[in-house]
């Protein structure tokens, strides 16, 4: 598999090791996921949909942080992510899939951003996502861009829980819209299609699970604060939090390399 | 102009401000460029060429650092880059262009990496590129990835100079190979074409220029050191330095937004 | 000269090179200084005075950023500082000195913090002090601690100027209060005395000077934001800005090693 | 308790909260400690001893990394440390104590460096200490200063173990030499005395323990690489590794605030 820069030959990444072979996803990575959900306004959420997508089920936004360590494809390093998801149905000329749309995914390391955008069509961007502050039973998570803190996520009332299996749209996997503009023909696209991460086929297993109360605060963000991303933060900030839908913490081991990612037609 | 994430609407970047209008490139950015050149082996250099490209002129590699400040499109912030260039001719079905091929360009900020890869077809990757150490008339530049220093560039015998205008392939602009893999059809490409940054049309003006002696050292790099980039560093390390061709430092103000970037056919 | 850790022998630093000899301060470091001043309330300012100090002249606070590069004692590296100063007189049993009291000095590198605290009695603390944003004739400076931005300094109306020589308390050098607590005897001190950086004897020369309008904003800071420093930020935030007294930018080369620093009695 | 800057009043820290009261150390911090030991040359080790100290027991050096999270006094943040210890006896005019001498302790956050140096007499310095790489049953730890990696610590053959209680010098607590130079009287000291961290009185409890094989590599370090610390790294590099003495990993919760730290006489 090639990525830019092309001339140096195939690039190793999550789906191919230095020798071209896949990695072992049985016991690693370790992941701690913190997901906070809330009901929002359907009309505003609909504004964030790419072509072919419509809302499915309730307009519930989930903000999910993931703290990865022991990633084999990074030779045992880790990184952190912050994603925004909500339930949608994609209807193409052939495919119809209901799942969670990953509207944007911030990551604090450029290399998985590039593999994910180019190979998988994940809408990844860069942000600083520090380890959480954990203080007297509460957790304080968040993200920033060059020092501008644009989101805070606070958890309390954290209690061990047994998690129900995924149901509804969340059981349908994750949906994406891959888009790369055309060079020189400004306003046109070289790539513009939907992608699907099917559920299942992962070696991920849960080793800890907790329920909690979660609170999301999105901060005022001007163009000068985040000149390439302010419009995203402002659109998220404009989504009202109509009703809290709780938070879920999961600690897992194992995973998959997402080579089952597919283009939708 | 759109980039991923698509659903939030057009993304501001170097070629469009928050209101869609271009930026003013008359007096900014400021840039300090440090370029060290050396003669290498033509056969090894040829290995790094994408389809349609051949070597032009002598096989002279130039390693160029650029330290940008006061970039309007980043609301006055800056970032640093480290590029590898050599003279080539691209022959397509229609176009034939001779210029410098930008084989790889490391940058220390993700946002210009994404705009450059997606909009321009620049082969950008992430690296740490700290400010140089300047000590007793010598300068020490370099780059690292998560702490692994993979290149050192040292300058001495720095003297003010008046620079000759560009000639030969360097006068022909910069060439690139835009490549994005196809999702799900592993090994195939969604995008694979050459691009050209034509010379000229820039408001860049030189405010200082120096000649120097330069020394480039590329360090031993294993897969575990840079799991997504080691093959690039190793290929560069394999290029013998057959003859030093000197170093040039330029300090400039002004520039252009590269909206004259074009796809070659 | 020794510092902790003691057992490894003398430690190199600004005042002694690796061979024990002093450094050359003729042409380096380079420094860009940005100083914004304002009139505040004398009674509140008086609260910040250590024993033996009293206010002198008008209660004018100066917030000064310094951006250092090419420091010989750091082998050509640089670092940035943010200090708070105001005019005072120190009266000891022997000495009486009027100058500017350096109430606190944030720096973005630990090594000069340690040499400065231990050898000179400078009240140095750590903060992130990024390079300024420079945008359309305005400059945006500031500092943060682990992501919490606690001060913003904005300059506009920047114009070249010829600076008058220092007069009044500023001509008297800088005053400090060195304090190290006693181990085990909590609440008592091992060291508690005033220090003086005399003016002059520096090879610093000005290569550029500007006047500007400056605006200082100190942000709300709770204990959890800066658990070891919040009380300092809050005390500075409590000082009203009664009247702006302008800003001065100076660009200099050369300096001194402060080995003329002396203990006051 | 006061620290520099003095004028702003008492400074919060590990031993006093924002209201002056102590913190709760029952369940936090969490700590993961990785300690690798080896036999070295007694004569070379003796060179690192401050006045009043002599070697005790075998000349075994222990390099210990500590990864702290959930520190109450940092409002739930964490930091990492790398210390060098070996068994000594301190004989003063009154006290005689055998324990482990903490020759140097690198930390990756300035605030605990300052509280530890000033209040406790710990020989703390700054270094970058990233999270370890964990890959196929091996762990890769290390530290750097402004990008110069000066030590690598690698573990393998990691197996769960039940740890024996501390015995020998390690059971005697930790010894330190507090030293602060005199301002202006260069070469003389304001503070120069031994300190002792007695064992016990901690709420720390072990929640996981492992034995491993460990390998320490200390890298060539010139003055220009670490201008204030190179002599320390070089002295450590000069200690031969005569025999590996294994590695121990412990995971703990709880601790103490070290307010039982005392000055030796």
């Amino acid at each position: 598999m090639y990525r830019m820069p092309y001339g140096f030959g195939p690039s190793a990444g999550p789906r191919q090791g230095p020798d071209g072979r896949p990695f072992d996803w049985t016991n690693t990575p370790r992941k701690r996921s913190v997901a906070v959900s809330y009901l929002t306004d359907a009309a505003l959420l609909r504004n964030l949909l790419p072509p072919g997508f419509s809302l499915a089920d309730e307009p519930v936004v989930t903000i999910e942080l993931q703290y990865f360590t022991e990633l084999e494809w990074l030779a045992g390093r880790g990184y952190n992510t912050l994603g925004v998801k909500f339930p949608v149905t994609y209807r193409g000329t052939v495919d119809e899939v209901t799942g969670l749309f990953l509207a944007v995914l911030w990551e604090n390391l450029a290399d998985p951003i590039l593999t994910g955008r180019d190979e998988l069509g994940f809408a990844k961007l860069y942000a600083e996502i520090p380890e959480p502050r954990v203080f007297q039973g509460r957790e304080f998570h968040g993200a920033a861009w060059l020092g501008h803190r644009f989101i805070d996520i606070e958890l309390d009332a954290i209690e061990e829980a047994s998690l129900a299996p995924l149901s509804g749209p969340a059981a349908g996997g994750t949906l994406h819209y891959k888009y790369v503009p055309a060079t020189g023909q400004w306003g046109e696209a070289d790539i513009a299609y939907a992608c699907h991460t099917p559920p299942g086929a992962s070696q991920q297993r849960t080793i800890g699970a907790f329920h909690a109360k979660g609170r999301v605060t999105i901060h005022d963000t001007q163009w000068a604060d985040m000149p390439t991303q302010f419009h995203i933060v402002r659109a998220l900030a404009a989504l009202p939090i109509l009703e809290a839908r709780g938070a879920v913490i999961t600690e897992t081991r194992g995973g998959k390399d997402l080579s089952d990612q597919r283009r939708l037609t």
Side-chain angles (χ1 to χ4, degrees), chain A:
Chain A
M1 207 179 312
Y2 285 74
R3 296 191 303 271
M4 275 184 272
Y6 180 87
F8 295 89
S11 291
R15 284 157 287 287
Q16 61 184 3
D19 49 8
R21 280 178 297 186
F23 291 101
D24 180 4
W25 296 78
T26 317
N27 282 308
T28 58
R30 288 172 177 267
K31 182 175 72 170
R32 189 167 192 272
S33 161
V34 171
V36 181
S37 299
Y38 51 87
L39 183 73
T40 191
D41 178 81
L44 286 170
L45 200 55
R46 202 170 284 125
N47 289 340
L48 307 184
L49 292 172
F53 288 77
S54 57
L55 295 184
D57 204 354
E58 282 191 304
V60 171
V61 171
T62 297
I63 311 283
E64 184 184 28
L65 292 135
Q66 297 179 105
Y67 299 88
F68 288 102
T69 54
E70 302 187 26
L71 282 151
E72 277 224 349
W73 74 272
L74 288 173
R77 296 173 182 85
Y79 65 94
N80 304 335
T81 77
L82 170 63
V84 178
K85 300 188 291 195
F86 52 89
V88 300
T89 296
Y90 172 77
R91 288 183 187 83
T93 54
V94 172
D95 294 301
E96 176 169 333
V97 184
T98 294
L100 294 182
F101 176 55
L102 185 59
V104 60
L105 182 64
W106 281 283
E107 302 193 337
N108 68 349
L109 184 63
D111 296 73
I113 292 173
L114 300 187
T115 60
R117 286 175 74 96
D118 286 10
E119 299 178 7
L120 305 177
F122 276 52
K124 296 185 176 190
L125 294 175
Y126 177 79
E128 298 146 16
I129 307 173
E131 296 297 305
R133 237 177 6 101
V134 180
F135 182 63
Q136 295 185 338
R138 290 189 294 166
E139 298 190 5
F140 302 84
H141 303 258
W145 185 84
L146 299 202
H148 173 73
R149 183 93 164 183
F150 62 89
I151 188 168
D152 274 293
I153 294 127
E154 185 179 336
L155 299 189
D156 60 9
I158 301 170
E159 295 185 358
E160 273 202 279
S162 58
L163 298 182
L166 293 177
S167 64
T174 313
L175 289 153
H176 314 265
Y177 193 73
K178 187 178 186 182
Y179 183 92
V180 177
T183 300
Q185 296 160 289
W186 308 118
E188 297 183 28
D190 274 346
I191 301 175
Y193 57 73
C195 296
H196 183 213
T197 313
S202 172
Q203 300 186 73
Q204 181 179 305
R205 62 183 190 281
T206 302
I207 57 174
F210 305 84
H211 282 306
K213 285 186 186 164
R215 185 165 55 209
V216 174
T217 310
I218 300 176
H219 299 296
D220 177 50
T221 296
Q222 305 297 323
W223 168 75
D225 296 320
M226 295 175 72
T228 64
Q229 305 185 21
F230 72 105
H231 64 299
I232 301 165
V233 176
R234 293 173 75 95
L236 296 176
L239 296 173
I241 298 178
L242 299 180
E243 188 181 289
R245 290 295 174 92
V248 175
I249 302 171
T250 52
E251 296 169 354
T252 60
R253 300 200 68 152
K256 66 175 177 179
D257 70 2
L258 302 181
S259 61
D260 54 355
Q261 181 84 348
R262 66 193 188 102
R263 172 178 178 167
L264 296 178
T265 308

